[in-house]
Amino acid sequence: MALKVKTIYVCKECGAESPKWMGRCSQCGEWNTFVEEQVTIGGSKSFGSGSTSSSSTLSATITPMPLAKVQVNEVSRTSTANAELDRVLGGGIVPGALILIGGEPGIGKSTLVLQMALSIPNRKVLYVSGEESTQQIKLRADRLISPTSKVSGVSADNCMVVSDTSIDRLQSHIDAAKPDLVVIDSIQTMETERVESFQGSISQIKECTSMLMHLAKSSGTPIILIGHINKDGQIAGPKILEHMVDVVLQFEGDRNNMYRILRSIKNRFGSTNEIGIFEMLGDGLREVTNPSEMLLNEYSQALSGVSVAAAMEGMRPFLIEVQALASTAAYGTPQRSATGFDIRRLNMLLAVLEKRAGFKLAAKDVFLNIAGGIKVADPAIDLAVASSILSSNTDIAINAGTCLAGEIGLSGEIRPVNRIEQRVSEAAKLGFKKIIIPKYGARINFKKFDIEVAQVYKLEEAFRLLFA
């Protein structure tokens, strides 16, 4: 069949195709998302050594079978020699898995993956870079394996690198290196001759990912893709990209801060309720095994507007410092600002304090900050946020040995939160003397923890304990 080049328009958000440009996508409803793409009709769909006849023979051997007769073998995972990364992946890398790691430019994605590639014991890794030369990769690797590096267990013996942007040549690289793991940095720089469009286009990303998925599943070799994100914080490319891969990880953090968080957005082989915390150093990423000590500061004297919250990120408890500043508004309209916390939830808590607790904050500027440069979505820190605001407003410091955990309802009640025993245990382990939590209907034995547990039902009860 003769090849024919056809022009279509593809939505960047959902991947919907249209023969003509449209201002609004009829599938996802987004505006100005259609881009022009050139597609080739009549080309071969094979990749590597596959053919049409072999595909027909293979499909003839596939027949439906009862679910009860399906044989399940235990999957052997490959450890990355990085406890935080293994935690997020669910215990290690599964053979044939396609893993996508996204994050902002300069956040440390390439450093994380290269450090992992240098640390995996007795495994050969092929690092394919479309953004950097082999010399640039070597310079970064030298920093990771230098004698003064604080990152241990790295070696360049089993890591092979190549600078190439062609997916069509990838099969020959894999045949020559015979790696146990392949790293693609990044998927937006890869291209194939089967698609007549430029690098980073939706058609190129979708086709290259499809070819890599076929390669990973057919050979059993796990492949890690590094992906860029757009201005909205989403992984660049079509949304179908996240559906095609097995695991989606988000590497985030403030570039002005040294700490990074690795979140699991999607994981077909494990839980998405885990996070990994790293510290960015000049010679690599260091695992943070105790995030509570990282996020808490010790002050020589008590400060108003500061409280400690027992938060949860997935299955992991840690204590964070909540800072607030409430001052008289210099202009007519009070300012509301939050860093690391949802501004809409802050406005809701201020309304509850105004209506239910009787504190006059409508004419006050309120600024809120979660120390450490992390973002927290756990509603259990509501009580700590409200206490910090009131502490700053009254200029009365909260006892440094007190920790808080509780969600605030619209009626001013303190609602129960999940995994309260883990929160209490974490506070006791770090030496806190007292923790204020919601009053539970279920009977929980808190006497086994070496900490005073105060249970409250209303905001007034909590403030009475904090400020006498």
Side-chain angles (χ1 to χ4, degrees), residues 211-399:
M211 296 167 70
L212 291 171
M213 180 178 64
H214 172 76
L215 177 62
K217 302 305 179 185
S218 60
S219 64
T221 303
I223 299 178
I224 296 179
L225 310 178
I226 296 179
H228 300 161
I229 65 173
N230 53 30
K231 61 182 181 180
D232 298 325
Q234 304 295 323
I235 296 177
K239 197 65 178 177
I240 194 175
L241 175 64
E242 299 182 31
H243 297 286
M244 296 171 67
V245 300
D246 299 309
V247 181
V248 180
L249 305 180
Q250 187 83 8
F251 202 44
E252 59 187 41
D254 186 357
R255 284 191 293 176
N256 299 321
N257 198 291
M258 66 182 68
Y259 299 112
R260 305 287 188 268
I261 294 180
L262 184 66
R263 299 182 187 272
S264 177
I265 308 290
K266 170 189 175 182
N267 192 350
R268 288 175 178 162
F269 312 115
S271 172
T272 57
N273 294 326
E274 294 288 356
I275 65 168
I277 301 180
F278 301 87
E279 181 183 6
M280 175 62 80
L281 305 174
D283 46 17
L285 290 162
R286 184 183 68 85
E287 304 170 44
V288 177
T289 57
N290 192 351
S292 298
E293 294 182 354
M294 169 196 79
L295 298 172
L296 295 179
N297 292 325
E298 294 185 2
Y299 301 102
S300 56
Q301 59 182 3
L303 301 176
S304 63
V306 177
S307 66
V308 177
M312 292 286 298
E313 277 290 345
M315 309 288 290
R316 192 172 192 176
F318 61 93
L319 305 186
I320 57 174
E321 183 179 296
V322 180
Q323 302 172 345
L325 175 63
S327 61
T328 304
Y331 304 98
T333 304
Q335 300 182 63
R336 303 285 189 260
S337 176
T339 303
F341 189 75
D342 188 2
I343 185 64
R344 293 170 297 182
R345 193 160 188 88
L346 173 62
N347 290 329
M348 184 205 76
L349 294 176
L350 292 175
V352 172
L353 290 174
E354 181 91 18
K355 178 71 175 180
R356 303 298 183 185
F359 298 104
K360 304 302 180 182
L361 299 170
K364 297 292 184 72
D365 290 336
V366 178
F367 304 93
L368 186 72
N369 177 52
I370 305 297
I374 68 171
K375 297 179 181 179
V376 182
D378 187 2
I381 73 169
D382 286 353
L383 184 57
V385 170
S387 300
S388 297
I389 295 172
L390 182 58
S391 172
S392 175
N393 187 50
T394 59
D395 202 21
I396 300 176
I398 297 175
N399 192 306

Side-chain angles (χ1 to χ4, degrees), residues 59-70:
S59 61
T61 62
I62 301 176
T63 57
M65 64 184 302
L67 183 62
K69 294 184 178 181
V70 176

Side-chain angles (χ1 to χ4, degrees), residues 401 426-433 451:
E426 182 73 9
K429 184 175 69 175
L430 291 179
F432 281 81
K433 304 299 182 184
I451 187 174

